[in-house]
Amino acid sequence: MPLPYTLPRVGSGNEPLRIAVFISGGGSGLAALLKFQAETPRLHNTVLVISEDPNAGGQVFCEENDVTFVGIRLPNISDKSLRRLSHEEEIEVKLVEYDVELIVLSGYMRILTPNFVKKWKGRLVNIHPSLLPKYPGAHAHRDALADGATVSGCTVHLVDEGVDSGQILASEMVEVLPTDTLSDLQNRIKIIEHKLYPQIIDDLCSGKIQF
């Protein structure tokens, strides 16, 4: 039976919840979260950004906001399972070092192992560019267009041992236009993601989300 979720503690002004953001690329979602946190005092603070790519473009936002960026390459191990476990062990060392309490996946393209998820279940959140449970996986926009969908959107959810199958926290709909290309749909949904995700993270850290 899957383990239940253990939500993070409620942050406070004196002790904001300590967040690590995992990214793989340009970090536009990271930038949106950092901007949200800078607008007014929040009950959470991004203390660490981790990527499997030491040259990930998103590190520029870390430099601008005085947030530690750590690039952790996949180790040179031929066995794929051992490689994943070893990589996550290196990540765990950094999470402990920075006293991280909540992990935010933001354009992180690696699938975490069940072992890692179990340790963080309820304190590991993701945003997916579809109205889950429709179109899970890495090609949500392509799948929505191929299916002739008239609506799509984005979904914030807790991460479980499956793929985009965890407890849904919030979603928002976006119309799919007849003329939409993949990039058209992606860009329009991304605008909504950058508004919805920081707000739901804020709700989670302030105790507004309970179940």
Side-chain angles (χ1 to χ4, degrees):
M1 179 179 293
L3 293 173
Y5 297 100
T6 301
L7 298 181
R9 70 174 177 88
V10 175
S12 68
N14 292 330
E15 291 187 80
L17 203 72
R18 297 172 65 83
I19 290 176
V21 181
F22 288 14
I23 65 171
S24 289
S28 62
L30 166 66
L33 176 60
L34 293 174
K35 180 181 178 183
F36 181 86
Q37 291 173 329
E39 287 172 348
T40 189
R42 305 288 182 185
L43 303 183
H44 48 90
N45 185 36
T46 299
V47 298
L48 178 66
V49 174
I50 289 177
S51 178
E52 77 279 22
D53 179 4
N55 299 309
Q59 66 181 294
V60 67
F61 302 118
C62 299
E63 295 166 0
E64 292 172 354
N65 291 273
D66 196 27
V67 175
T68 299
F69 172 85
V70 179
I72 303 177
R73 294 186 188 274
L74 286 168
N76 187 21
I77 299 173
S78 57
D79 185 286
K80 290 184 179 180
S81 295
L82 291 177
R83 186 191 312 154
R84 291 176 71 195
L85 290 172
S86 178
H87 186 237
E88 290 178 353
E89 286 173 0
E90 290 187 59
I91 290 172
E92 284 278 9
V93 169
K94 287 298 178 182
L95 297 176
V96 171
E97 180 182 345
Y98 283 83
D99 296 321
V100 169
E101 299 173 279
L102 176 69
I103 298 172
V104 171
L105 304 182
S106 184
Y108 189 65
M109 301 308 293
R110 295 196 56 76
I111 296 176
L112 297 165
T113 65
N115 184 56
F116 186 93
V117 171
K118 286 175 184 176
K119 293 178 184 177
W120 288 92
K121 196 169 180 180
R123 299 175 296 141
L124 181 59
V125 64
N126 184 46
I127 189 163
H128 182 75
S130 78
L131 296 176
L132 292 173
K134 281 197 167 185
Y135 316 125
H139 304 289
H141 302 307
R142 182 197 68 186
D143 294 344
L145 291 173
D147 196 34
T150 57
V151 294
S152 189
C154 56
T155 304
V156 181
H157 65 96
L158 296 175
V159 177
D160 67 3
E161 294 84 351
V163 176
D164 300 321
S165 56
Q167 175 72 41
I168 291 174
L169 303 181
S171 61
E172 190 160 337
M173 186 180 72
V174 173
E175 183 181 4
V176 180
L177 304 178
T179 57
D180 270 345
T181 64
L182 191 148
S183 60
D184 291 336
L185 183 59
Q186 180 182 38
N187 291 336
R188 208 160 59 254
I189 289 177
K190 191 170 286 188
I191 292 170
I192 302 302
E193 288 180 359
H194 292 171
K195 295 178 181 178
L196 180 65
Y197 205 12
Q199 185 58 61
I200 300 306
I201 291 167
D202 193 68
D203 290 347
L204 183 61
C205 294
S206 63
K208 292 180 181 178
I209 294 175
Q210 297 288 336
F211 51 84

